[in-house]
Amino acid sequence: MADLWECAYCGLTDAPRTREHLFPTALHRRLQECNKVGHVFWLRRLDKDVKGEPTLKDVCSRCNNGYLSDLDAYICREFDSQFSTIRQRFEKVLFSYDFHLLKRWLLKMAYNSARIHSAPDTFALKAVLPYIRGENDHLGRSVRLFLQLAYPAPIPPAERARLGGEEVPEIWEPRLNRVGITEVTVEGIGRKIIRHVALQSYTFMLAYSNPADGASANKEFAAEFLKRAPAAVEVKASQSEVATVCDGINSWDQFRQSR
Ligand SMILES: [Zn+2]
């Protein structure tokens, strides 16, 4: 009997299935390469994390080897030119991007993570599948994109002792790639799910908006969100670069919160 299944991206059942980890292998390899020196301890922990991560087996080879692999290739190039650099606190950073390639890749990561964890935003991500596939740029407008930079921070001495003492670096640098989810409550707008995708110093945040709320509510939300995170910037479709200062998140706090 034929193995009946549906590709999570295109819904087709006749192309072979593929199998992969949440973070593309080529990106994971880059992360390991740029963190080779002086981070042996953390690399070991990181490897453990990745090996323990469930694999995705519901994507067909046409999607995976087609547009999804183009998105991965884009992000690998960006990793080499931008994300591989650990930013220092108060450093001025000009982030340049191709808006749709970036946002489609981030949404792909969010969607993959959401399926692994049966997360509450799975439905919102399914709604933008044609955007992720590159078929409908207009549809992507329901998701706003923000960027915030994490800065290296000292690990509190007690924590450092608990983790292994001398072996643990004194300063924690944002050297992880990860995907997470949080909720924020904005007065007058209500609760919103925010997706985070961190690539070392760079944390991207995706905010879903309800098309029924209208443009003004979404604008209001963006303004309110930026008020709470003053070092965050909105990444806009109308531009190809955005200036920001690395003062968004203490990377040790960020790491602790993600555990
Ligand atoms: Zn497919």
Side-chain angles (χ1 to χ4, degrees):
M1 215 174 85
D3 176 21
L4 286 179
W5 71 289
E6 279 191 3
C7 169
Y9 283 87
C10 68
L12 287 182
T13 57
D14 62 339
R17 281 180 196 232
T18 57
R19 182 191 172 95
E20 33 175 66
H21 287 291
L22 176 58
F23 274 95
T25 311
L27 187 61
H28 182 64
R29 200 172 49 231
R30 280 172 162 79
L31 184 73
Q32 281 185 306
E33 270 161 22
C34 80
N35 292 333
K36 227 179 242 165
V37 185
H39 280 77
V40 182
F41 174 82
W42 299 111
L43 268 181
R44 239 188 289 144
R45 292 194 53 153
L46 189 70
D47 273 346
K48 232 195 281 175
D49 278 358
V50 169
K51 282 197 191 97
E53 193 173 83
T55 49
L56 292 147
K57 287 169 266 186
D58 60 354
V59 184
C60 80
S61 58
R62 265 198 297 260
C63 289
N64 227 353
N65 304 333
Y67 60 92
L68 291 175
S69 118
D70 295 342
L71 296 179
D72 287 346
Y74 165 73
I75 220 70
C76 283
R77 289 196 300 275
E78 293 304 305
F79 191 91
D80 293 342
S81 61
Q82 303 190 81
F83 308 134
S84 57
T85 307
I86 300 295
R87 301 300 181 177
Q88 299 305 311
R89 191 164 192 191
F90 305 125
E91 187 181 343
K92 286 181 186 153
V93 175
L94 186 66
F95 172 64
S96 58
Y97 56 89
D98 179 307
F99 183 76
H100 293 302
L101 289 177
L102 173 67
K103 199 164 83 172
R104 286 169 59 209
W105 184 82
L106 294 168
L107 285 166
K108 168 207 135 152
M109 293 304 294
Y111 183 46
N112 284 351
S113 175
R115 297 202 312 291
I116 288 173
H117 302 289
S118 306
D121 59 340
T122 310
F123 78 96
L125 289 157
K126 276 191 176 148
V128 294
L129 278 175
Y131 176 70
I132 300 177
R133 293 198 299 259
E135 295 163 4
N136 187 341
D137 281 355
H138 186 80
L139 197 61
R141 288 168 70 173
S142 64
V143 184
R144 293 185 94 118
L145 176 59
F146 301 90
L147 167 66
Q148 186 164 240
L149 298 180
Y151 52 86
I155 302 177
E159 288 282 311
R160 197 169 160 238
R162 192 178 60 76
L163 287 165
E166 294 296 301
E167 194 187 7
V168 184
E170 282 176 52
I171 303 291
W172 176 265
E173 295 187 328
R175 289 187 180 271
L176 293 173
N177 293 342
R178 58 177 61 244
V179 185
I181 188 169
T182 52
E183 254 186 27
V184 293
T185 305
V186 177
E187 216 178 304
I189 295 169
R191 290 199 312 175
K192 280 216 180 235
I193 292 174
I194 308 284
R195 265 284 162 194
H196 298 242
V197 181
L199 298 168
Q200 302 222 100
S201 299
Y202 295 73
T203 294
F204 294 96
M205 291 164 290
L206 298 160
Y208 311 105
S209 62
N210 185 348
D213 289 348
S216 69
N218 290 329
K219 225 178 202 167
E220 210 178 294
F221 169 77
E224 199 54 45
F225 183 79
L226 290 170
K227 232 190 273 169
R228 288 156 175 244
V233 285
E234 183 161 11
V235 179
K236 293 179 175 167
S238 56
Q239 293 161 354
S240 60
E241 54 185 32
V242 61
T244 183
V245 175
C246 182
D247 192 26
I249 322 160
N250 170 314
S251 67
W252 175 250
D253 290 345
Q254 183 184 34
F255 174 73
R256 298 288 289 145
Q257 281 157 17
S258 71
R259 295 271 121 173

